[in-house]
Amino acid sequence: MSNAQPYVERIDTSLGELELDDYFSPQELKAELRGMELLCSIVNATPVWSVKYGSDRPFLISNDDGPSIVIDIFQSIQRRLNDDDPHLTVYMDKSPICVLRDPKGIQTPSTDSIVSLVLLGVAGWPIHATPGTLAQKAHQTTNKVYEDCSELLPSDYDELQTMMEMNELGLVNEAISTLAEMARRWYVCRCWDLEKVKDTLEPLLQNFTQQEIEKYLSEPSDASDALFITV
């Protein structure tokens, strides 16, 4: 009887080296890595979450009120890619809890599901949207860091004016980058859904040619910009 161990592939990521058994889908890995870039972008933009390293893997840790939430990012990816397991690896006050990916999107990358969980934390764990296994968190969190704004604010119009002035001066990439930064803030800090962000951006992007947008997306300021800015 063979005692051979399964081959382990090591993938460099923005959060360190991810180890996977060799029977995963390259397309699904690519989707996980895209989701990881968005996850890092959101975490870097909010004080509610931070990434800490234990042993050789990254953990996402909540910094708000109520019970501490810890998410094992790499194990969640491994469960998805190697075992087709729909669970995320999540702990509340050091105890494991059951958190499933959305059954309607069973093929959704685990990192996208982690992003959804992170955005719940940014929004203050609204009771109506928080998974039942995290209900204690929703009831005990009192630190509402960001306001859920559904309309543009005066500060947005100031930035849009700056964007237009940049474009008139020929600073096209800088102008599009300003729009992308606003889009990320709407998505992360105000909890707008992706469609609302895109709908708001659509008339603004008409100030640029298709070639200018494509050039920006070839080297965006942030890896997640392509989620919001489309040609």
Side-chain angles (χ1 to χ4, degrees):
M1 184 171 59
S2 172
N3 292 321
Q5 297 297 315
Y7 174 75
V8 174
E9 185 160 345
R10 293 173 172 81
I11 297 99
D12 288 328
T13 78
S14 54
L15 291 175
E17 191 176 72
L18 170 66
E19 294 187 356
L20 293 172
D21 294 342
D22 62 351
Y23 50 87
F24 61 86
S25 161
Q27 291 77 17
E28 291 179 352
L29 172 62
K30 187 176 181 180
E32 292 286 359
L33 295 179
R34 284 199 305 268
M36 190 185 297
E37 293 297 332
L38 177 58
L39 176 64
C40 290
S41 172
I42 294 172
V43 171
N44 289 336
T46 174
V48 176
W49 296 92
S50 58
V51 176
K52 298 191 183 300
Y53 292 84
S55 64
D56 60 347
R57 56 200 306 133
F59 292 87
L60 198 56
I61 299 178
S62 65
N63 301 316
D64 52 9
D65 295 339
S68 175
I69 302 298
V70 175
I71 305 172
D72 189 329
I73 302 169
F74 279 6
Q75 189 172 98
S76 296
I77 295 174
Q78 290 162 343
R79 294 174 79 167
R80 170 72 180 86
L81 295 184
N82 286 152
D83 303 321
D84 200 24
D85 186 333
H87 294 84
L88 301 178
T89 302
V90 182
Y91 302 86
M92 183 163 62
D93 277 352
K94 300 183 180 180
S95 297
I97 57 172
C98 176
V99 178
L100 288 165
R101 299 196 313 276
D102 184 355
K104 296 178 183 177
I106 196 64
Q107 298 304 317
T108 300
S110 65
T111 45
D112 280 15
S113 297
I114 294 173
V115 164
S116 297
L117 206 56
V118 163
L119 290 175
L120 282 175
V122 171
W125 303 101
I127 293 175
H128 70 280
T130 299
T133 50
L134 288 167
Q136 183 182 359
K137 183 71 174 179
H139 286 292
Q140 293 190 21
T141 299
T142 58
N143 183 18
K144 309 301 185 195
V145 178
Y146 294 116
E147 180 182 3
D148 181 7
C149 300
S150 59
E151 302 298 335
L152 292 177
L153 301 176
S155 58
D156 293 319
Y157 289 107
D158 290 341
E159 282 194 82
L160 291 176
Q161 181 62 40
T162 299
M163 180 273 294
M164 296 294 290
E165 292 171 357
M166 286 179 175
N167 196 28
E168 290 173 3
L169 291 171
L171 303 173
V172 177
N173 263 30
E174 290 83 351
I176 298 176
S177 179
T178 297
L179 277 183
E181 183 178 350
M182 294 177 70
R184 294 195 302 272
R185 187 166 61 251
W186 295 336
Y187 186 72
V188 175
C189 301
R190 301 190 199 171
C191 300
W192 288 13
D193 61 43
L194 194 55
E195 289 308 309
K196 180 176 177 62
V197 173
K198 287 184 174 182
D199 288 346
T200 305
L201 283 182
E202 184 177 3
L204 301 172
L205 289 172
Q206 292 177 10
N207 290 284
F208 307 95
T209 67
Q210 178 176 333
Q211 291 74 19
E212 288 170 337
I213 296 172
E214 288 176 346
K215 180 180 178 182
Y216 174 79
L217 291 176
S218 68
E219 293 185 64
S221 299
D222 189 277
S224 66
D225 288 354
L227 289 173
F228 311 110
I229 296 180
T230 54
V231 178

